[in-house]
Amino acid sequence: MEPRIIEKLFASFTELEGAITKARQTFRSRESVPEGVVKRLESYDTILSKQRSLAVSLCEAIAQKDWDEVTRHVTLINGLSAMIRDDAKAILSAISISDDSTLDDETSNFC
């Protein structure tokens, strides 16, 4: 595995961490954000920490040329990323629906 790929992997963790921080800041600036959303963002921090740990183990497996373990770690890292992605989509969808209903409530006063 190319060292450049590993560098990109760790850079993606840093990028994800920034996105989580930005989402947290955005939600703090909004009124009435459900407590569940905040807890879900906290779980992303835990997942990201696990991904970083797995990536370190991945590097060790690569150095040992333990390709079965490399495959396992890549699969786990990808699965954790999918968990965050799918949950973030669900949050955004719920917020979008909530915003649309608020907009409908506001515009119904004009009809």
Side-chain angles (χ1 to χ4, degrees):
M1 207 169 269
E2 254 182 73
R4 180 84 176 123
I5 292 171
I6 298 300
E7 289 172 16
K8 285 183 176 184
L9 177 62
F10 280 98
S12 73
F13 295 151
T14 301
E15 186 177 328
L16 176 57
E17 184 175 42
I20 293 167
T21 299
K22 187 174 181 180
R24 191 175 283 117
Q25 291 168 348
T26 300
F27 287 131
R28 282 187 188 138
S29 69
R30 292 182 66 146
E31 292 181 23
S32 69
V33 174
E35 182 62 29
V37 170
V38 174
K39 290 204 180 287
R40 287 160 81 170
L41 285 174
E42 290 171 5
S43 75
Y44 297 171
D45 292 328
T46 303
I47 293 169
L48 180 58
S49 175
K50 182 62 179 174
Q51 285 182 304
R52 283 188 167 129
S53 175
L54 285 166
V56 169
S57 297
L58 171 66
C59 292
E60 294 167 1
I62 291 169
Q64 296 171 4
K65 299 184 191 289
D66 185 349
W67 305 121
D68 289 337
E69 199 64 11
V70 168
T71 300
R72 187 177 85 77
H73 280 80
V74 168
T75 301
L76 290 170
I77 291 167
N78 286 339
L80 291 169
S81 292
M83 286 174 57
I84 291 175
R85 183 190 61 241
D86 293 347
D87 191 61
K89 282 181 184 179
I91 290 172
L92 291 173
S93 177
I95 289 171
S96 175
I97 290 169
S98 174
D99 287 347
D100 287 347
S101 67
T102 302
L103 182 60
D104 289 344
D105 291 345
E106 291 171 358
T107 57
S108 66
N109 293 331
F110 298 111
C111 298

CSV table of all heavy atoms in Angstrom, one decimal, residues 50-88:
chain,number,residue,atom,x,y,z
A,50,LYS,N,-11.9,5.8,17.2
A,50,LYS,CA,-11.7,4.4,16.9
A,50,LYS,C,-11.1,4.2,15.5
A,50,LYS,O,-10.2,3.4,15.3
A,50,LYS,CB,-13.1,3.6,16.9
A,50,LYS,CG,-13.0,2.2,16.7
A,50,LYS,CD,-12.1,1.4,17.7
A,50,LYS,CE,-12.1,0.0,17.4
A,50,LYS,NZ,-11.2,-0.7,18.3
A,51,GLN,N,-11.5,5.0,14.5
A,51,GLN,CA,-10.9,5.0,13.2
A,51,GLN,C,-9.4,5.3,13.2
A,51,GLN,O,-8.7,4.6,12.5
A,51,GLN,CB,-11.6,5.9,12.2
A,51,GLN,CG,-13.0,5.5,11.8
A,51,GLN,CD,-13.6,6.4,10.8
A,51,GLN,OE1,-13.8,7.6,11.1
A,51,GLN,NE2,-14.0,5.9,9.7
A,52,ARG,N,-9.1,6.3,14.0
A,52,ARG,CA,-7.6,6.6,14.0
A,52,ARG,C,-6.8,5.5,14.6
A,52,ARG,O,-5.7,5.1,14.2
A,52,ARG,CB,-7.4,7.9,14.9
A,52,ARG,CG,-7.8,9.1,14.1
A,52,ARG,CD,-7.4,10.4,14.8
A,52,ARG,NE,-7.5,11.5,14.0
A,52,ARG,CZ,-8.1,12.7,14.2
A,52,ARG,NH1,-8.8,12.8,15.4
A,52,ARG,NH2,-8.1,13.7,13.4
A,53,SER,N,-7.4,4.9,15.7
A,53,SER,CA,-6.7,3.7,16.3
A,53,SER,C,-6.6,2.6,15.3
A,53,SER,O,-5.5,1.9,15.2
A,53,SER,CB,-7.5,3.3,17.5
A,53,SER,OG,-7.0,2.1,18.1
A,54,LEU,N,-7.6,2.3,14.6
A,54,LEU,CA,-7.6,1.3,13.5
A,54,LEU,C,-6.6,1.6,12.4
A,54,LEU,O,-5.9,0.7,11.9
A,54,LEU,CB,-9.0,1.0,12.9
A,54,LEU,CG,-10.0,0.3,13.8
A,54,LEU,CD1,-11.4,0.5,13.2
A,54,LEU,CD2,-9.6,-1.2,13.9
A,55,ALA,N,-6.5,2.8,12.1
A,55,ALA,CA,-5.5,3.2,11.1
A,55,ALA,C,-4.1,3.0,11.5
A,55,ALA,O,-3.2,2.6,10.7
A,55,ALA,CB,-5.7,4.7,10.7
A,56,VAL,N,-3.8,3.3,12.8
A,56,VAL,CA,-2.5,3.0,13.3
A,56,VAL,C,-2.2,1.5,13.2
A,56,VAL,O,-1.1,1.0,12.8
A,56,VAL,CB,-2.3,3.5,14.8
A,56,VAL,CG1,-1.0,3.0,15.4
A,56,VAL,CG2,-2.3,5.0,14.8
A,57,SER,N,-3.2,0.7,13.6
A,57,SER,CA,-3.0,-0.8,13.5
A,57,SER,C,-2.9,-1.2,12.1
A,57,SER,O,-2.2,-2.2,11.7
A,57,SER,CB,-4.2,-1.5,14.1
A,57,SER,OG,-4.3,-1.2,15.5
A,58,LEU,N,-3.6,-0.5,11.2
A,58,LEU,CA,-3.5,-0.8,9.7
A,58,LEU,C,-2.0,-0.6,9.3
A,58,LEU,O,-1.5,-1.4,8.5
A,58,LEU,CB,-4.4,0.1,9.0
A,58,LEU,CG,-4.3,0.1,7.4
A,58,LEU,CD1,-4.7,-1.2,6.9
A,58,LEU,CD2,-5.2,1.3,6.8
A,59,CYS,N,-1.4,0.5,9.7
A,59,CYS,CA,0.0,0.8,9.3
A,59,CYS,C,0.9,-0.4,9.8
A,59,CYS,O,1.8,-0.8,9.1
A,59,CYS,CB,0.4,2.1,9.9
A,59,CYS,SG,-0.4,3.5,9.1
A,60,GLU,N,0.6,-0.8,11.0
A,60,GLU,CA,1.4,-1.9,11.6
A,60,GLU,C,1.2,-3.2,10.7
A,60,GLU,O,2.2,-3.9,10.4
A,60,GLU,CB,1.1,-2.2,13.0
A,60,GLU,CG,1.5,-1.0,13.9
A,60,GLU,CD,0.8,-1.1,15.3
A,60,GLU,OE1,0.1,-2.1,15.6
A,60,GLU,OE2,1.1,-0.2,16.1
A,61,ALA,N,0.0,-3.5,10.4
A,61,ALA,CA,-0.3,-4.7,9.5
A,61,ALA,C,0.4,-4.6,8.2
A,61,ALA,O,0.8,-5.6,7.6
A,61,ALA,CB,-1.8,-4.9,9.4
A,62,ILE,N,0.4,-3.4,7.6
A,62,ILE,CA,1.0,-3.2,6.3
A,62,ILE,C,2.5,-3.4,6.4
A,62,ILE,O,3.1,-4.1,5.6
A,62,ILE,CB,0.8,-1.7,5.8
A,62,ILE,CG1,-0.7,-1.6,5.4
A,62,ILE,CG2,1.7,-1.4,4.6
A,62,ILE,CD1,-1.1,-0.1,5.1
A,63,ALA,N,3.1,-2.9,7.5
A,63,ALA,CA,4.6,-3.1,7.7
A,63,ALA,C,4.9,-4.6,7.9
A,63,ALA,O,6.0,-5.0,7.4
A,63,ALA,CB,5.0,-2.3,9.0
A,64,GLN,N,4.0,-5.3,8.5
A,64,GLN,CA,4.2,-6.8,8.6
A,64,GLN,C,3.7,-7.6,7.4
A,64,GLN,O,3.8,-8.8,7.4
A,64,GLN,CB,3.5,-7.2,9.9
A,64,GLN,CG,4.0,-6.6,11.2
A,64,GLN,CD,3.1,-7.0,12.4
A,64,GLN,OE1,2.1,-7.7,12.3
A,64,GLN,NE2,3.5,-6.4,13.5
A,65,LYS,N,3.2,-6.9,6.5
A,65,LYS,CA,2.6,-7.6,5.2
A,65,LYS,C,1.6,-8.6,5.6
A,65,LYS,O,1.5,-9.7,5.0
A,65,LYS,CB,3.7,-8.2,4.4
A,65,LYS,CG,4.7,-7.1,3.9
A,65,LYS,CD,5.8,-7.7,3.0
A,65,LYS,CE,6.9,-6.8,2.7
A,65,LYS,NZ,6.7,-5.7,1.9
A,66,ASP,N,0.8,-8.3,6.6
A,66,ASP,CA,-0.3,-9.1,7.0
A,66,ASP,C,-1.6,-8.7,6.3
A,66,ASP,O,-2.4,-7.9,6.8
A,66,ASP,CB,-0.5,-9.0,8.5
A,66,ASP,CG,-1.6,-10.0,9.1
A,66,ASP,OD1,-2.3,-10.6,8.3
A,66,ASP,OD2,-1.6,-10.1,10.3
A,67,TRP,N,-1.7,-9.2,5.1
A,67,TRP,CA,-2.8,-8.6,4.2
A,67,TRP,C,-4.2,-8.9,4.6
A,67,TRP,O,-5.1,-8.2,4.3
A,67,TRP,CB,-2.5,-9.1,2.7
A,67,TRP,CG,-1.1,-8.7,2.3
A,67,TRP,CD1,-0.1,-9.5,1.9
A,67,TRP,CD2,-0.5,-7.4,2.3
A,67,TRP,NE1,1.0,-8.8,1.6
A,67,TRP,CE2,0.8,-7.5,1.9
A,67,TRP,CE3,-1.0,-6.1,2.7
A,67,TRP,CZ2,1.7,-6.4,1.8
A,67,TRP,CZ3,-0.1,-5.0,2.5
A,67,TRP,CH2,1.2,-5.2,2.1
A,68,ASP,N,-4.4,-10.1,5.3
A,68,ASP,CA,-5.7,-10.4,5.8
A,68,ASP,C,-6.1,-9.3,6.9
A,68,ASP,O,-7.2,-8.8,6.9
A,68,ASP,CB,-5.8,-11.7,6.5
A,68,ASP,CG,-5.7,-12.9,5.4
A,68,ASP,OD1,-6.1,-12.6,4.3
A,68,ASP,OD2,-5.3,-14.0,5.8
A,69,GLU,N,-5.1,-8.9,7.7
A,69,GLU,CA,-5.4,-7.9,8.7
A,69,GLU,C,-5.6,-6.6,8.1
A,69,GLU,O,-6.4,-5.8,8.6
A,69,GLU,CB,-4.2,-7.9,9.8
A,69,GLU,CG,-4.6,-7.3,11.1
A,69,GLU,CD,-5.7,-8.0,11.9
A,69,GLU,OE1,-6.1,-9.1,11.5
A,69,GLU,OE2,-6.2,-7.4,12.8
A,70,VAL,N,-4.8,-6.3,7.1
A,70,VAL,CA,-5.0,-5.0,6.3
A,70,VAL,C,-6.4,-4.9,5.8
A,70,VAL,O,-7.1,-3.9,6.0
A,70,VAL,CB,-3.9,-4.9,5.2
A,70,VAL,CG1,-4.3,-3.7,4.2
A,70,VAL,CG2,-2.5,-4.7,5.7
A,71,THR,N,-6.9,-6.0,5.2
A,71,THR,CA,-8.2,-6.0,4.6
A,71,THR,C,-9.3,-5.8,5.7
A,71,THR,O,-10.2,-5.0,5.5
A,71,THR,CB,-8.5,-7.3,3.9
A,71,THR,OG1,-7.5,-7.4,2.8
A,71,THR,CG2,-9.9,-7.4,3.3
A,72,ARG,N,-9.1,-6.5,6.8
A,72,ARG,CA,-10.0,-6.3,7.9
A,72,ARG,C,-10.1,-4.9,8.5
A,72,ARG,O,-11.1,-4.4,8.7
A,72,ARG,CB,-9.6,-7.3,9.1
A,72,ARG,CG,-10.6,-7.4,10.2
A,72,ARG,CD,-10.2,-8.4,11.2
A,72,ARG,NE,-9.2,-7.9,12.2
A,72,ARG,CZ,-9.6,-7.1,13.2
A,72,ARG,NH1,-10.8,-6.8,13.4
A,72,ARG,NH2,-8.7,-6.7,14.1
A,73,HIS,N,-8.9,-4.3,8.6
A,73,HIS,CA,-8.9,-2.9,9.1
A,73,HIS,C,-9.5,-1.9,8.1
A,73,HIS,O,-10.2,-1.0,8.5
A,73,HIS,CB,-7.4,-2.5,9.5
A,73,HIS,CG,-7.0,-3.0,10.8
A,73,HIS,ND1,-6.6,-4.3,11.0
A,73,HIS,CD2,-6.9,-2.4,12.0
A,73,HIS,CE1,-6.2,-4.5,12.2
A,73,HIS,NE2,-6.5,-3.4,12.9
A,74,VAL,N,-9.2,-2.1,6.9
A,74,VAL,CA,-9.8,-1.2,5.9
A,74,VAL,C,-11.3,-1.4,5.9
A,74,VAL,O,-12.1,-0.4,5.8
A,74,VAL,CB,-9.2,-1.5,4.5
A,74,VAL,CG1,-10.0,-0.8,3.4
A,74,VAL,CG2,-7.8,-1.1,4.4
A,75,THR,N,-11.8,-2.6,6.0
A,75,THR,CA,-13.3,-2.8,6.0
A,75,THR,C,-13.9,-2.2,7.3
A,75,THR,O,-14.9,-1.5,7.2
A,75,THR,CB,-13.5,-4.4,6.0
A,75,THR,OG1,-13.0,-4.9,4.8
A,75,THR,CG2,-15.0,-4.6,6.1
A,76,LEU,N,-13.2,-2.3,8.4
A,76,LEU,CA,-13.8,-1.7,9.6
A,76,LEU,C,-13.8,-0.2,9.5
A,76,LEU,O,-14.8,0.5,9.9
A,76,LEU,CB,-12.9,-2.1,10.9
A,76,LEU,CG,-13.1,-3.6,11.3
A,76,LEU,CD1,-12.0,-4.0,12.3
A,76,LEU,CD2,-14.5,-3.8,11.8
A,77,ILE,N,-12.7,0.4,9.0
A,77,ILE,CA,-12.6,1.9,8.9
A,77,ILE,C,-13.7,2.4,7.9
A,77,ILE,O,-14.4,3.3,8.2
A,77,ILE,CB,-11.2,2.3,8.4
A,77,ILE,CG1,-10.2,2.1,9.5
A,77,ILE,CG2,-11.2,3.8,8.0
A,77,ILE,CD1,-8.7,2.2,9.1
A,78,ASN,N,-13.9,1.7,6.8
A,78,ASN,CA,-14.9,2.0,5.9
A,78,ASN,C,-16.3,1.9,6.5
A,78,ASN,O,-17.2,2.7,6.2
A,78,ASN,CB,-14.8,1.2,4.6
A,78,ASN,CG,-13.6,1.6,3.7
A,78,ASN,OD1,-13.1,2.7,3.8
A,78,ASN,ND2,-13.2,0.7,2.9
A,79,GLY,N,-16.5,0.8,7.2
A,79,GLY,CA,-17.8,0.6,7.9
A,79,GLY,C,-18.1,1.7,8.9
A,79,GLY,O,-19.3,2.2,8.9
A,80,LEU,N,-17.2,2.2,9.6
A,80,LEU,CA,-17.4,3.2,10.6
A,80,LEU,C,-17.7,4.6,9.8
A,80,LEU,O,-18.5,5.3,10.3
A,80,LEU,CB,-16.2,3.4,11.5
A,80,LEU,CG,-16.0,2.2,12.5
A,80,LEU,CD1,-14.6,2.3,13.2
A,80,LEU,CD2,-17.1,2.2,13.5
A,81,SER,N,-17.0,4.8,8.7
A,81,SER,CA,-17.3,6.0,7.9
A,81,SER,C,-18.7,6.0,7.4
A,81,SER,O,-19.4,7.0,7.4
A,81,SER,CB,-16.3,6.1,6.8
A,81,SER,OG,-15.0,6.3,7.2
A,82,ALA,N,-19.1,4.8,7.0
A,82,ALA,CA,-20.5,4.7,6.4
A,82,ALA,C,-21.5,4.9,7.5
A,82,ALA,O,-22.5,5.6,7.3
A,82,ALA,CB,-20.7,3.3,5.8
A,83,MET,N,-21.2,4.5,8.8
A,83,MET,CA,-22.1,4.8,9.9
A,83,MET,C,-22.3,6.3,10.1
A,83,MET,O,-23.4,6.8,10.2
A,83,MET,CB,-21.6,4.1,11.2
A,83,MET,CG,-21.7,2.6,11.2
A,83,MET,SD,-20.9,1.9,12.7
A,83,MET,CE,-21.7,2.8,14.0
A,84,ILE,N,-21.2,7.0,10.1
A,84,ILE,CA,-21.2,8.4,10.3
A,84,ILE,C,-22.0,9.1,9.1
A,84,ILE,O,-22.9,9.9,9.3
A,84,ILE,CB,-19.8,9.1,10.4
A,84,ILE,CG1,-19.2,8.6,11.7
A,84,ILE,CG2,-19.9,10.6,10.3
A,84,ILE,CD1,-17.8,9.1,11.9
A,85,ARG,N,-21.6,8.7,7.9
A,85,ARG,CA,-22.3,9.3,6.7
A,85,ARG,C,-23.8,9.1,6.7
A,85,ARG,O,-24.5,10.0,6.5
A,85,ARG,CB,-21.6,8.7,5.4
A,85,ARG,CG,-22.2,9.3,4.1
A,85,ARG,CD,-21.7,8.6,2.9
A,85,ARG,NE,-22.2,7.2,2.9
A,85,ARG,CZ,-21.5,6.1,2.9
A,85,ARG,NH1,-20.2,6.2,2.9
A,85,ARG,NH2,-22.0,4.9,3.0
A,86,ASP,N,-24.2,7.9,7.0
A,86,ASP,CA,-25.6,7.5,6.9
A,86,ASP,C,-26.4,8.3,8.0
A,86,ASP,O,-27.5,8.8,7.8
A,86,ASP,CB,-25.8,6.0,7.0
A,86,ASP,CG,-25.3,5.3,5.8
A,86,ASP,OD1,-25.0,5.9,4.8
A,86,ASP,OD2,-25.2,4.0,5.9
A,87,ASP,N,-25.8,8.3,9.2
A,87,ASP,CA,-26.4,9.0,10.3
A,87,ASP,C,-26.5,10.5,10.1
A,87,ASP,O,-27.5,11.2,10.3
A,87,ASP,CB,-25.7,8.7,11.6
A,87,ASP,CG,-26.5,9.2,12.8
A,87,ASP,OD1,-27.6,8.7,13.0
A,87,ASP,OD2,-26.0,10.1,13.6
A,88,ALA,N,-25.4,11.1,9.5
A,88,ALA,CA,-25.4,12.5,9.2
A,88,ALA,C,-26.5,12.9,8.2
A,88,ALA,O,-27.2,13.9,8.3
A,88,ALA,CB,-24.0,13.0,8.7
